[in-house]
Amino acid sequence: MRIVVAHNRYREAQPSGENTIVDAEIAQLTAAGVEVLPFLRSSDEIPTMPRTAKALLPVSPIYAPRAQQQLSRLIEEHRPDVLHLHNPYPLLSPWVVRTAHRHGVPVVQTVHNYRQVCSSGLYFRDGVICQDCRGRALGVPAIVHRCYRGSRAQSALMATTLAVHRPTWRSVDRFVALTSAVADHLRDYGIPDERIVVKPNGIPDPGRPAPLGDGFLFLGRLSPEKGLDLLLDAWRRHPDGALGPLRIAGDGELRPLAEAAAAERGDVTFLGPLDRAGVRAALEASAVVLATSTWHDVLPTVIIEALASGRPVLGTALGGIPYLVGADTPREPAGTGPARVASAVPGDGRATLPTGAVTGEAGWVVPPEPAALAAALPLARAGAATLSAAARARYERTFHPDVVTGQLVDVYAGLMRAKTPATP
């Protein structure tokens, strides 16, 4: 099995979970015996490009001629079975799908964001969820609001690219949706069910979980869409020390908010940015991991890290978070009144969560509102020990590299079988 993995790497100065996942996936496929042909470009190449190449950059998201020539040569030389595309912008262009098809090579694309529709890829603008461009032939709102890189001109180019390549995306042979929410996004875009496979990312197994620590950990980019301000609003509704410690790790534009909270309260600690060893130590010191995003977060890797470490997760009911904690098919769905959830706390084994909140297999999700999050915090702390083993089990069953790599190989094999003529 010979697979081309195509990806335009984001700048190294801009931390990218997508770059990390692509690197890990290539390593996992290689370890599984798949011959991987990397077709990688990096946005870090742009400053050193010749002047003529830079002159073509404005149109490269629509059509990148050099990338098409190089991909054609690669296909002709190596005769791959499948092309697996991740991010095409700006140096590859979605045109690589057409180039692969011209050579008879089927295409898989992993959908890491919402850029089939949204120029920023986030469905998030000015601090709130925004889907103004859904259903439009041209994303004029993205142009008006300068959604791509804060530039009206670049936003116009990206909106045009999305319009031009609507038929290109709809020709992809198989989409890998990282969560059920991404699958819903693709269906809304017009992709039929039979061309969508839900397969999350996996992370290496950190080994047997350490005993639960105490309190909560918020680990991630300190930017508005990650919901640090929502968390702190909810946290301040409890007396200092009532919930145990809150550790905040990461960096970003909201760092002053984290530093101010740590200075204000004795139960908040700001850890700053952490290396891998620091992340591991912070996870082991905590009992519950928080994922309080206020946008439709596609697949926060911190949740998978939490589950691998046997830490249940309290998150907002947005994007892929319910899927990750097993709450998109909850034990007891929330109705018009408070949800009743089995085994949430010790004692009689039942507790009342706020309206709209749900307990899943490996954690809890609540509406992205301070009152709902504040009400769920003590219940999550009390129920952490009950869900710890289930969190680890969900990782082993759904997010372990052996599991997700096997699913991906099955996707490739299915496309290869479909391409091979039946024997008379």
Side-chain angles (χ1 to χ4, degrees):
M1 183 180 289
R2 186 175 293 158
I3 308 297
V4 173
V5 174
H7 176 56
N8 190 129
R9 298 179 67 84
Y10 296 88
R11 293 181 185 274
E12 292 302 323
Q14 172 189 339
S16 166
E18 195 170 325
N19 286 352
T20 302
I21 289 298
V22 171
D23 292 342
E25 195 165 272
I26 289 173
Q28 291 158 11
L29 287 169
T30 302
V34 176
E35 183 181 351
V36 177
L37 303 171
F39 186 65
L40 308 177
R41 297 296 177 270
S42 172
S43 293
D44 286 328
E45 299 171 21
I46 293 173
T48 60
M49 282 181 170
R51 186 174 301 175
T52 52
K54 285 183 179 178
L56 294 174
L57 278 175
V59 298
S60 63
I62 297 175
Y63 180 73
R66 186 164 177 263
Q68 310 320 308
Q69 294 163 5
Q70 293 170 334
L71 179 59
S72 288
R73 286 197 296 269
L74 180 67
I75 292 173
E76 290 165 1
E77 180 180 353
H78 295 282
R79 300 295 177 186
D81 298 300
V82 176
L83 181 139
H84 187 163
L85 175 63
H86 291 269
N87 172 46
Y89 300 113
L91 300 179
L92 296 182
S93 162
W95 207 281
V96 295
V97 175
R98 302 189 188 194
T99 299
H101 282 162
R102 181 164 55 85
H103 289 276
V105 177
V107 176
V108 172
Q109 199 221 356
T110 295
V111 181
H112 294 273
N113 53 44
Y114 305 106
R115 195 162 274 150
Q116 287 81 14
V117 175
C118 175
S119 290
S120 74
L122 299 179
Y123 279 154
F124 190 83
R125 174 174 59 80
D126 297 334
V128 296
I129 291 169
C130 170
Q131 297 182 339
D132 288 352
C133 292
R134 281 179 62 184
R136 292 176 179 263
L138 180 68
V140 174
I143 303 170
V144 171
H145 296 289
R146 300 179 173 88
C147 290
Y148 187 66
R149 297 183 175 177
S151 163
R152 186 163 288 169
Q154 292 193 61
S155 297
L157 174 62
M158 182 54 70
T160 301
T161 299
L162 300 185
V164 167
H165 281 298
R166 191 171 290 113
T168 306
W169 291 127
R170 288 178 176 168
S171 75
V172 168
D173 300 275
R174 200 70 79 243
F175 285 96
V176 173
L178 296 178
T179 69
S180 54
V182 174
D184 289 341
H185 157 73
L186 290 168
R187 292 186 193 101
D188 184 67
Y189 187 65
I191 306 301
D193 277 348
E194 61 267 22
R195 287 202 276 134
I196 302 171
V197 175
V198 176
K199 182 211 75 70
N201 296 328
I203 65 165
D205 190 341
R208 182 173 179 154
L212 282 186
D214 187 24
F216 296 83
L217 173 65
F218 178 96
L219 171 66
R221 189 171 61 252
L222 303 185
S223 55
E225 72 275 8
K226 290 295 186 178
L228 177 62
D229 50 351
L230 167 66
L231 167 60
L232 292 176
D233 189 340
W235 193 264
R236 290 186 179 103
R237 299 182 184 215
H238 295 275
D240 196 328
L243 298 171
L246 168 62
R247 302 171 184 87
I248 301 171
D251 206 354
E253 62 191 283
L254 296 188
R255 178 171 181 151
L257 202 64
E259 292 172 332
E264 169 194 339
R265 292 180 59 117
D267 57 359
V268 178
T269 301
F270 177 55
L271 303 175
L274 301 177
D275 59 14
R276 294 310 308 164
V279 169
R280 178 83 172 163
L283 283 167
E284 291 182 355
S286 304
V288 178
V289 171
L290 296 159
T292 55
S293 295
T294 55
W295 71 295
H296 288 296
D297 210 337
V298 175
L299 191 142
T301 302
V302 64
I303 295 182
I304 306 177
E305 292 178 312
L307 303 184
S309 299
R311 270 58 181 168
V313 175
L314 171 59
T316 46
L318 293 172
I321 296 173
Y323 168 84
L324 289 169
V325 302
D328 55 343
T329 52
R331 296 175 183 175
E332 295 189 28
T336 55
R340 301 289 292 177
V341 183
S343 302
V345 293
D348 67 358
R350 303 184 70 81
T352 300
L353 285 172
T355 300
V358 172
T359 288
E361 178 185 346
W364 310 261
V365 293
V366 298
E369 302 161 359
L373 182 58
L377 284 166
L379 300 178
R381 186 189 186 203
T386 302
L387 293 188
S388 176
R392 172 66 188 186
R394 181 160 177 78
Y395 162 76
E396 293 175 349
R397 188 176 62 254
T398 308
F399 306 107
H400 193 281
D402 292 348
V403 175
V404 297
T405 303
Q407 290 176 309
L408 191 53
V409 170
D410 287 346
V411 171
Y412 299 154
L415 289 176
M416 293 166 62
R417 286 193 299 269
K419 188 175 65 168
T420 304
T423 303

